[in-house]
């Protein structure tokens, strides 16, 4: 099964030598599941020519806001709506989660309560799940087709399922503690409050449930189910 990765943002320059783009982290997250991958840097206006160029689409995170005026956002929303109408499965993470919601009629804002940075706890199917997050924006109004699968007091709409068409996640299952540490070093100062930076630093080595989420993503792409 071929997964098309739509890259919607750039890493800090200091982190590019180690990570390049967001795509390799997703390839590592989903390694061994029988997928092949091809990436398009849509943030640089490099788009697939057709929604059928892949069997499923994964939209990455970005430092940009879905509601901001960037050249790549309108065509990306058109692509999302076309894939949705054509029944090509989509997975969105962080910005990907937000832009899918916005494209399908939801609302994304810069959340007035601030940031979620580093390891966060979510309630998912009656269980506590821990994942790394990095966001201030969030989905505050869900599209009509979206059902909440996970959330917490800070982020109600943390994981959304759109029937058998899309599965989207606000936190980052692809982020390891070392990557979060890089963001804390190169992107947080002067932007994220110091107490949140300190708390994230204190929990960099704590376990996260990235493998469980990777299994849900895999299951969704292959069967359109997350459980």
């Amino acid at each position: 099964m071929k997964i098309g990765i739509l890259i919607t943002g750039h890493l800090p320059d200091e982190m590019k030598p180690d990570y390049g783009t967001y795509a390799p982290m997703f390839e590592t997250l989903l390694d061994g599941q029988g997928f092949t991958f091809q990436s398009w840097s849509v943030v640089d206006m490099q788009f697939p020519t057709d929604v059928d160029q892949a069997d499923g689409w994964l939209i990455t995170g970005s430092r940009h806001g879905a509601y901001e005026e960037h050249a790549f956002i309108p065509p990306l929303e058109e692509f999302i709506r076309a894939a949705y109408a054509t029944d090509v499965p989509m997975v969105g993470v962080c910005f990907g989660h937000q832009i899918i919601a916005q494209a399908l009629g939801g609302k994304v804002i810069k959340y007035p309560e601030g940031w979620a940075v580093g390891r966060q706890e979510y309630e998912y199917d009656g269980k506590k799940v821990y994942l790394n997050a990095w966001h201030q924006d969030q989905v505050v109004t869900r599209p009509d087709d979206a059902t909440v699968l996970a959330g917490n007091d800070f982020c109600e709409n943390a994981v959304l399922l759109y029937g058998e068409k899309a599965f989207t996640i606000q936190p980052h299952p692809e982020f390891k503690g070392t990557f979060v540490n890089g963001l804390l070093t190169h992107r947080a100062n002067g932007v994220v409050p110091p107490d949140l930076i300190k708390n994230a630093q204190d929990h960099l080595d704590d376990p996260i449930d990235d493998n469980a989420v990777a299994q849900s993503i895999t299951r969704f792409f292959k069967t359109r189910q997350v459980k």
Side-chain angles (χ1 to χ4, degrees):
M1 185 176 188
K2 179 180 177 180
I3 304 302
I5 300 177
L6 303 182
I7 302 169
T8 60
H10 299 295
L11 301 181
D13 289 341
E14 299 88 345
M15 298 177 69
K16 289 178 181 177
D18 291 328
Y19 297 96
T21 71
Y22 288 105
M25 287 187 285
F26 285 107
E27 294 178 21
T28 298
L29 180 72
L30 301 175
D31 186 38
Q33 303 298 332
F35 297 130
T36 60
F37 301 94
Q38 182 176 351
S39 300
W40 286 263
S41 185
V42 296
V43 69
D44 298 311
M45 299 303 292
Q46 300 169 8
F47 279 85
T49 57
D50 190 273
V51 296
D52 292 321
Q53 277 188 265
D55 302 306
W57 297 100
L58 192 156
I59 305 175
T60 74
S62 174
R63 69 182 301 176
H64 300 303
Y67 47 79
E68 294 173 351
E69 294 185 5
H70 299 288
F72 77 96
I73 288 180
L76 178 56
E77 289 186 314
E78 291 179 11
F79 187 91
I80 289 166
R81 288 190 286 266
Y84 198 80
T86 312
D87 204 30
V88 182
M90 290 181 289
V91 168
V93 173
C94 197
F95 175 89
H97 164 82
Q98 297 161 9
I99 196 68
I100 288 174
Q102 180 172 285
L104 298 177
K107 185 176 179 62
V108 179
I109 66 169
K110 188 177 294 293
Y111 195 53
E113 298 300 319
W115 287 83
V117 172
R119 187 176 184 263
Q120 307 291 313
E121 178 185 303
Y122 302 91
E123 187 75 17
Y124 181 34
D125 197 25
K127 301 177 183 177
K128 292 181 179 180
V129 173
Y130 297 89
L131 292 168
N132 285 314
W134 191 281
H135 69 100
Q136 183 175 11
D137 296 348
Q138 59 174 281
V139 178
V140 292
T141 303
R142 298 185 297 274
D144 291 341
D145 291 348
T147 301
V148 179
L149 295 188
N152 57 29
D153 290 341
F154 178 80
C155 183
E156 176 185 355
N157 301 308
V159 179
L160 299 177
L161 182 66
Y162 299 73
E164 297 184 348
K165 292 178 177 286
F167 174 52
T168 70
I169 307 161
Q170 178 60 69
H172 286 273
E174 80 282 16
F175 280 11
K176 305 293 188 185
T178 51
F179 187 86
V180 173
N181 190 47
L183 292 178
L184 292 170
T185 302
H186 301 297
R187 190 165 275 180
N189 290 329
V191 177
V192 178
D195 60 323
L196 296 185
I197 294 175
K198 176 64 165 57
N199 184 70
Q201 289 171 332
D202 289 344
H203 296 283
L204 287 172
D205 296 326
D206 290 1
I208 55 173
D209 295 300
D210 52 339
N211 289 331
V213 177
Q215 290 300 317
S216 292
I217 293 173
T218 297
R219 195 174 299 114
F220 180 77
F221 275 136
K222 291 183 175 181
T223 71
R224 308 297 185 96
Q225 305 294 319
V226 295
K227 299 180 183 179

